[in-house]
Amino acid sequence: MTSPTGPADTTPADASERAYTALLSRISAGEISAGERLFEQSLAEAIGVSRTPVRDALKRLAAEGLVDIHPHRGAQVVSFTPEDVTALYAMRAEFEPVAARLAVPEMTDTDVARLAELSARMERIVEEGADPGGLTTLNNEFHAVFVEGSGNRHLAIALQALFRPAVVTRTFRQYDPRALQRSMQHHAELVEAAAARDGEWAEAVMRAHILSARHATSPHRDPTEDATVRHA
Amino acid sequence: MTSPTGPADTTPADASERAYTALLSRISAGEISAGERLFEQSLAEAIGVSRTPVRDALKRLAAEGLVDIHPHRGAQVVSFTPEDVTALYAMRAEFEPVAARLAVPEMTDTDVARLAELSARMERIVEEGADPGGLTTLNNEFHAVFVEGSGNRHLAIALQALFRPAVVTRTFRQYDPRALQRSMQHHAELVEAAAARDGEWAEAVMRAHILSARHATSPHRDPTEDATVRHA
DNA sequence: ATCTGCCAGATTGCATGCAACAACGCCCGA
DNA sequence: TCGGGCGTTGTTGCATGCAATCTGGCAGAT
């Protein structure tokens, strides 16, 4: 979709799309902290467009559950309580494996190739110890392939809405190396399952993937100070 | 002179909200046939607002999967192929029961009461042989309670996106009396399961509900079947 | 001193004007 | 007659101006 990500900011995309991607990347990169208020005017100036496309982008993000909009009071990034995160993982653990099972048999070879590519790129980043923030984007694309590969537009829309909020949690920042490694192995196994068009296999791996991620994120929030919460 | 809709149009809602509800009701009522193109200007005049809130509403509907928007080419109501409908039911059969299981234990008494009320109202409409079109709205609200009753905002957003498109199919029009009756019985049983806070029970009933609906709608596809509800 | 009411600043929501793009039909040439 | 290129028309997308609303602070009364 997004053409060669050139270094120059020559964005052939429309202003609305630009505003959306800009906001999405800033939110997922953590530049905008949760709960922070988003002002249309300043965002418009920062992105280089008018207020209208910014408004569109904010509404779109609100529809996806990434920002909250209160009438006449503006928008702010959603703030996740720990309970929210728990519930989110519970939902993903239920739904995303099913989505994978439904999608995998319908995937094209192109989809599988894209999965393999994304998986490889993520693995390279991990090996190089580069910024985990970039992982989040790739990971989202990876999961998006499962969703869009189903060839069902409505499944895609619904599940995007379900998985996008995970962006905000900036999962990988909190991963320890072992958990990160395991996550990458899951990705690789998912590629194989997809290549084999084995829905049940993909479902099982995906479930393990989500539950493992839940375990990796929830328990330790601050390793230096935390003596109370330990692996039970 | 701007509101020919009626004397009771106490519209405290903002223009954007009004545009959204107006479009949604027109689509669900079938006034706008699938595939029909939606012009911002004419819609704005018909609703009595400017183009801006209409644009907002269209984008919102697009995010929910009810309309398609092609850049610079406008919006049109999504057209469902029979395969789309099949896929949609397959997805609902997978996801909505799980959603019910997750939601029911978290429901408040108010939620249960609302379910009971909606169920009763639907049953009354069926008994009176009134317009099944009104059923669609109530049915959507009924299912929405399960989704919103989970107390999880993200679950709600995601599943709304999944279930809203069903609006377009205008399901009940095609139900024969026996299927309609059974659907109502399912609703009643769902109310009981919710009242008992029995998630597994609700899940099972919901699955039967969806699969039964799939069977009731898919078999006879009659393109020439028109509105003209036979109530007299 | 605390609380209530009001005023001012700021921000959102809506309306409208203008430019860009796409679809359609026409004219011209082969 | 048929195909290709081009102008025209209509619609969307974006920018900006204005009014309605909300927030915060200050003055005055109790």
Side-chain angles (χ1 to χ4, degrees):
Chain A
M1 326 291 169
T2 49
S3 47
T5 40
D9 56 348
T10 47
T11 24
D14 286 343
S16 176
E17 188 68 19
R18 223 181 338 156
Y20 174 76
T21 52
L23 282 175
L24 183 61
S25 72
R26 289 189 190 201
I27 291 175
S28 62
E31 295 177 22
I32 306 174
S33 49
E36 187 169 338
R37 192 161 164 200
L38 299 166
F39 296 100
E40 298 178 356
Q41 185 65 48
S42 48
L43 289 175
E45 291 170 1
I47 300 172
V49 297
S50 137
R51 273 181 54 215
T52 306
V54 172
R55 282 181 61 77
D56 286 350
L58 286 175
K59 291 226 171 192
R60 193 167 156 194
L61 290 168
E64 293 175 355
L66 283 177
V67 305
D68 278 339
I69 293 184
H70 297 87
H72 293 282
R73 285 197 295 171
Q76 59 182 30
V77 180
V78 293
S79 50
F80 285 85
T81 67
E83 292 77 28
D84 283 336
V85 176
T86 304
L88 207 55
Y89 273 110
M91 288 161 47
R92 291 190 64 174
E94 292 281 354
F95 292 116
E96 196 160 357
V98 177
R101 167 162 53 81
L102 294 177
V104 158
E106 309 296 330
M107 278 189 181
T108 66
D109 290 343
T110 310
D111 291 327
V112 176
R114 178 148 179 73
L115 283 179
E117 182 212 340
L118 287 167
S119 174
R121 282 172 63 185
M122 282 191 277
E123 215 155 337
R124 207 168 335 142
I125 288 181
V126 169
E127 286 173 3
E128 295 172 357
D131 174 27
L135 273 183
T136 307
T137 305
L138 291 175
N139 185 56
N140 271 305
E141 289 185 40
F142 187 87
H143 286 259
V145 171
F146 277 91
V147 160
E148 291 163 1
S150 70
N152 188 306
R153 174 185 40 198
H154 303 288
L155 179 64
I157 291 173
L159 295 180
Q160 288 280 8
L162 188 56
F163 305 148
R164 274 278 170 74
V167 169
V168 180
T169 63
R170 281 173 286 146
T171 329
F172 291 113
R173 294 271 163 96
Q174 309 169 350
Y175 273 41
D176 65 56
R178 274 200 16 251
L180 207 52
Q181 191 91 23
R182 181 161 54 205
S183 182
M184 295 304 120
Q185 286 172 355
H186 287 154
H187 287 160
E189 189 171 354
L190 281 170
V191 172
E192 286 195 55
R197 302 296 192 285
D198 190 328
E200 296 186 352
W201 184 11
E203 179 181 14
V205 178
M206 186 65 86
R207 179 160 283 124
H209 184 55
I210 306 289
L211 294 176
S212 153
R214 176 175 67 179
H215 181 74
T217 51
S218 308
H220 27 267
R221 315 201 311 260
D222 191 319
T224 63
E225 179 195 13
D226 199 340
T228 57
V229 179
R230 229 28 185 150
H231 292 272
Chain B
M1 49 157 57
T2 54
S3 56
T5 44
D9 63 339
T10 48
T11 32
D14 287 343
S16 177
E17 188 68 20
R18 221 177 343 152
Y20 174 76
T21 52
L23 282 175
L24 183 62
S25 71
R26 289 189 191 202
I27 292 175
S28 63
E31 295 176 23
I32 306 174
S33 49
E36 187 169 337
R37 192 160 163 201
L38 299 166
F39 296 101
E40 298 177 357
Q41 183 66 48
S42 47
L43 289 175
E45 291 171 1
I47 299 172
V49 297
S50 138
R51 273 180 53 212
T52 306
V54 172
R55 282 181 61 79
D56 287 349
L58 286 175
K59 292 225 173 193
R60 194 168 156 193
L61 290 168
E64 293 175 355
L66 282 177
V67 304
D68 278 338
I69 292 184
H70 297 86
H72 292 283
R73 285 197 297 170
Q76 58 182 29
V77 180
V78 293
S79 51
F80 284 85
T81 67
E83 292 77 29
D84 283 336
V85 175
T86 303
L88 206 57
Y89 272 109
M91 288 161 48
R92 291 190 64 173
E94 291 282 354
F95 291 117
E96 196 160 359
V98 177
R101 167 161 54 82
L102 294 177
V104 158
E106 308 297 331
M107 277 190 181
T108 66
D109 290 342
T110 310
D111 291 327
V112 176
R114 179 149 179 71
L115 282 179
E117 182 213 340
L118 287 168
S119 174
R121 282 171 64 185
M122 282 190 277
E123 214 155 340
R124 204 166 339 139
I125 288 181
V126 170
E127 287 173 3
E128 295 173 357
D131 174 26
L135 273 183
T136 306
T137 306
L138 291 174
N139 185 58
N140 271 305
E141 288 185 39
F142 187 88
H143 287 259
V145 171
F146 278 90
V147 160
E148 291 163 1
S150 69
N152 187 307
R153 175 185 40 200
H154 302 288
L155 179 64
I157 291 174
L159 295 181
Q160 289 280 7
L162 188 56
F163 306 148
R164 273 278 170 75
V167 169
V168 180
T169 64
R170 282 174 284 148
T171 329
F172 291 113
R173 296 269 163 102
Q174 309 170 351
Y175 273 41
D176 65 57
R178 272 196 22 245
L180 206 52
Q181 190 91 21
R182 181 161 55 205
S183 182
M184 295 304 120
Q185 286 172 355
H186 287 153
H187 286 161
E189 189 171 356
L190 281 168
V191 172
E192 285 194 56
R197 303 294 192 285
D198 189 328
E200 296 187 350
W201 184 12
E203 180 182 13
V205 177
M206 186 65 86
R207 181 161 280 124
H209 184 54
I210 305 288
L211 294 176
S212 151
R214 176 175 67 179
H215 181 71
T217 50
S218 305
H220 30 267
R221 282 203 52 85
D222 193 344
T224 60
E225 175 166 18
D226 224 22
T228 19
V229 183
R230 64 189 206 294
H231 104 32

